[in-house]
Amino acid sequence: MSEHIVSSYDRDLEALGRRIAEMGGIAEKMLGEAMDALANFDTELAHRVVATDTRLDALQREIEESAILTIARRQPLAVDLRECIAAMRIAADLERVGDLAKSIAKRTVKILAEARVPRAIIGLKTMAEVASLQLKDVLDAYAQRDVERAKTVWANDTELDALEDSVFRDLLTFMMEDPRNISFCTHLLFCSKNIERIGDHTTNVAETIVYLVTGESMPTERPKGGKPATPADEAKEQSL
């Protein structure tokens, strides 16, 4: 390749990285604001989270189109090809994180009139804090191409799974204590599942980072008990 072509190609890859970083920042903010809206029953903030999702969707499309165009024009090999593939994979996972945060925000609006047990949200806040930290760590791992940090995020997914089990038991207790809590707590069960799924997508990103840097795949057996949600499961949840 001529120096001009190499320089242009490097700019293409840098542009993909910048868009991924922007997506990551938006996804982090959406999760944080969705949980703030839920904890404070703030419908105005919830509506802002929902509106923000359009920007995340647009970025995901831009990344996919740019990556495909780069592959077609440059015909990259080895790690350069993995850069393009990884960008598309990570963008898809971050877009799903945004969708799940948006779902939490939508439920905040639905349950405002049914808010009966504010203490029931404490466990979800803890889950969201863990998920947010994992998301931040995996985005840092991508920026630094840090395989060990990515593997740590992958292994730590079990913490979020354990927290979801605990939240599930607490919410069932609240429902048994008073049947009037059932509707409110059912919405919170869906929110806890959304947070757990955000952890799954964060784990996906960690696996992609390992693939990007090493060219190798992580073990197919994830460090968790339950099976990951399928796209069909998540589509069904978004419609509820």
Side-chain angles (χ1 to χ4, degrees):
M1 283 191 206
S2 71
E3 183 177 343
H4 172 74
I5 293 175
V6 171
S7 178
S8 177
Y9 181 37
D10 287 343
R11 287 197 297 272
D12 288 345
L13 296 181
E14 288 171 4
L16 285 174
R18 286 195 300 272
R19 288 194 180 102
I20 290 291
E22 184 179 355
M23 280 194 79
I26 292 172
E28 284 186 275
K29 185 178 180 182
M30 286 181 69
L31 174 57
E33 290 187 343
M35 285 307 302
D36 286 343
L38 179 62
N40 300 310
F41 303 110
D42 186 338
T43 56
E44 182 179 345
L45 181 57
H47 285 303
R48 288 208 301 270
V49 172
V50 172
T52 301
D53 188 56
T54 56
R55 175 58 181 157
L56 206 61
D57 292 343
L59 278 168
Q60 192 265 335
R61 289 192 296 271
E62 288 175 18
I63 289 169
E64 185 173 279
E65 291 168 3
S66 296
I68 291 172
L69 185 60
T70 298
I71 291 171
R73 288 190 308 188
R74 313 297 186 192
Q75 298 183 359
L77 300 173
V79 69
D80 291 333
L81 177 59
R82 297 201 300 273
E83 286 279 359
C84 296
I85 294 171
M88 288 190 285
R89 287 183 181 178
I90 293 171
D93 280 305
L94 292 176
E95 190 273 337
R96 289 300 303 140
V97 169
D99 282 346
L100 293 162
K102 179 177 70 173
S103 179
I104 293 171
K106 285 184 172 181
R107 287 191 181 277
T108 296
V109 176
K110 288 182 180 180
I111 67 178
L112 182 62
E114 304 175 21
R116 297 181 48 83
V117 196
R119 69 184 188 280
I121 298 173
I122 294 174
L124 273 76
K125 290 172 67 176
T126 302
M127 282 188 71
E129 289 169 1
V130 172
S132 294
L133 181 60
Q134 292 284 82
L135 182 57
K136 178 184 182 301
D137 281 348
V138 86
L139 290 170
D140 288 345
Y142 172 69
Q144 299 163 13
R145 303 301 191 264
D146 188 335
V147 171
E148 292 309 312
R149 193 167 185 176
K151 288 181 177 179
T152 298
V153 171
W154 186 85
N156 287 345
D157 188 53
T158 52
E159 181 180 357
L160 203 55
D161 296 331
L163 284 170
E164 189 205 7
D165 289 341
S166 177
V167 168
F168 179 80
R169 290 192 296 270
D170 289 344
L171 292 175
L172 284 184
T173 299
F174 292 134
M175 286 189 276
M176 289 187 291
E177 287 176 352
D178 188 341
R180 291 174 297 178
N181 295 334
I182 291 176
S183 179
F184 176 69
C185 289
T186 298
H187 282 294
L188 295 187
L189 282 171
F190 279 110
C191 289
S192 70
K193 175 53 67 176
N194 285 341
I195 298 170
E196 188 272 334
R197 289 178 183 172
I198 287 172
D200 285 344
H201 287 288
T202 300
T203 304
N204 286 346
V205 175
E207 291 175 351
T208 298
I209 293 166
V210 174
Y211 163 75
L212 166 61
V213 178
T214 69
E216 299 174 356
S217 298
M218 293 289 288
T220 55
E221 186 67 26
R222 289 194 175 193
K224 62 189 298 178
K227 67 175 182 178
T230 66
D233 292 334
E234 294 186 354
K236 181 179 179 181
E237 153 62 13
Q238 296 301 316
S239 68
L240 292 175

